[in-house]
Amino acid sequence: MPDALINRLLRAPVGLRSRVRIAALRACGMQIGRRCRLVRVSVPTNPWDVRLHDGVALDERVVLLAFGPRRGSPRIEIGARTYVNRHTMFDASLSITVGADVMIGPFCYVTDHDHDTAPGVAPGALPLVEVETIIGDRVWLGAGVTVMKGVRIGDDAVVGAGAVVTRDVAPGARVAGVPARAVMPSAGRAHA
Ligand SMILES: CC(C)(COP(=O)(O)OP(=O)(O)OC[C@H]1O[C@@H](n2cnc3c(N)ncnc32)[C@H](O)[C@@H]1OP(=O)(O)O)[C@@H](O)C(=O)NCCC(=O)NCCS
């Protein structure tokens, strides 16, 4: 059997299940644009808090966790044609915005809150500390990136695999590491 046919056969049930899933989530209040693809995503609470623009693709086991009382605007918004790879989680109590044409690698975690802490008190018993998190257009997050609350990642920025982003990233910057810092292409290696 030709390779292209094998791949089409493998994708056929995925496409069908995606359409059924999208219809069910829309019925629950999630705002999903046209030509989106959702492969076994998890929306544990507040589907009305998620807005996906046209052409968004969420791959297997992506988690869209939004929580808090119902309000007028979504807590998780993902821009047009953005792709999110497998096992990535968005954890929003206030607001996470992802731009258009963004590429998010597998096993990433993006949040907009911390637990407050105090000696002798369980973190879960304290209120959350919340600050809006924004990822710009055409950003690329490599595999296993963590984006902390309140961070703004500028348009066209690149975040290396395994980074923990604790501060804003300038548009077009390349950052990596824990905490994420600017990286320059290594000397002696060819870069366009
Ligand atoms: C960030 C990245 C794009 C940088 O690529 P690059 O511009 O070619 O950079 P280089 O490989 O020349 O490395 C430049 C420097 O940054 C360091 N660096 C690169 N990636 C790093 C990372 N993820 N974490 C820590 N340091 C990193 C290199 O060690 C090098 O430092 P040195 O000069 O002190 O040796 C790339 O390394 C990366 O992490 N890509 C993500 C891959 C991925 O996750 N793919 C799958 C998901 S879509």
Side-chain angles (χ1 to χ4, degrees), residues 85 103-106 140-143 158-163 174-177 183-187 189 191:
N85 209 327
M103 179 87 92
I104 299 187
W140 173 30
L141 302 188
V158 175
V159 181
R174 264 175 189 246
V175 300
V183 292
M184 301 298 289
S186 299
R189 289 185 49 196
H191 287 281

Side-chain angles (χ1 to χ4, degrees), residues 34-177:
R34 290 170 301 153
R35 299 183 306 282
C36 289
R37 190 169 59 91
L38 276 58
V39 185
R40 282 203 284 181
V41 299
S42 167
V43 184
T45 55
N46 290 25
W48 48 85
D49 266 335
V50 179
R51 180 170 185 206
L52 306 179
H53 290 253
D54 293 349
V56 167
L58 306 178
D59 222 318
E60 292 201 32
R61 308 295 180 193
V62 167
V63 179
L64 302 163
L65 174 60
F67 57 94
R70 209 187 256 261
R71 61 179 201 191
S73 54
R75 287 181 165 86
I76 297 175
E77 180 154 6
I78 301 184
R81 299 171 301 281
T82 284
Y83 170 69
V84 183
N85 209 327
R86 295 162 176 79
H87 298 275
T88 280
M89 176 171 178
F90 298 88
D91 188 358
S93 62
L94 180 67
S95 175
I96 295 174
T97 307
V98 179
D101 299 300
V102 171
M103 179 87 92
I104 299 187
F107 297 98
C108 293
Y109 176 74
V110 182
T111 188
D112 62 2
H113 59 270
D114 283 332
H115 290 283
D116 207 353
T117 57
V121 186
L126 291 165
L128 296 175
V129 181
E130 304 167 306
V131 191
E132 180 183 18
T133 297
I134 300 174
I135 297 174
D137 295 336
R138 299 172 302 280
V139 167
W140 173 30
L141 302 188
V145 168
T146 298
V147 179
M148 308 298 256
K149 75 171 193 306
V151 161
R152 287 168 181 253
I153 301 181
D155 295 347
D156 303 295
V158 175
V159 181
V164 178
V165 187
T166 58
R167 300 278 179 264
D168 290 357
V169 177
R174 264 175 189 246
V175 300

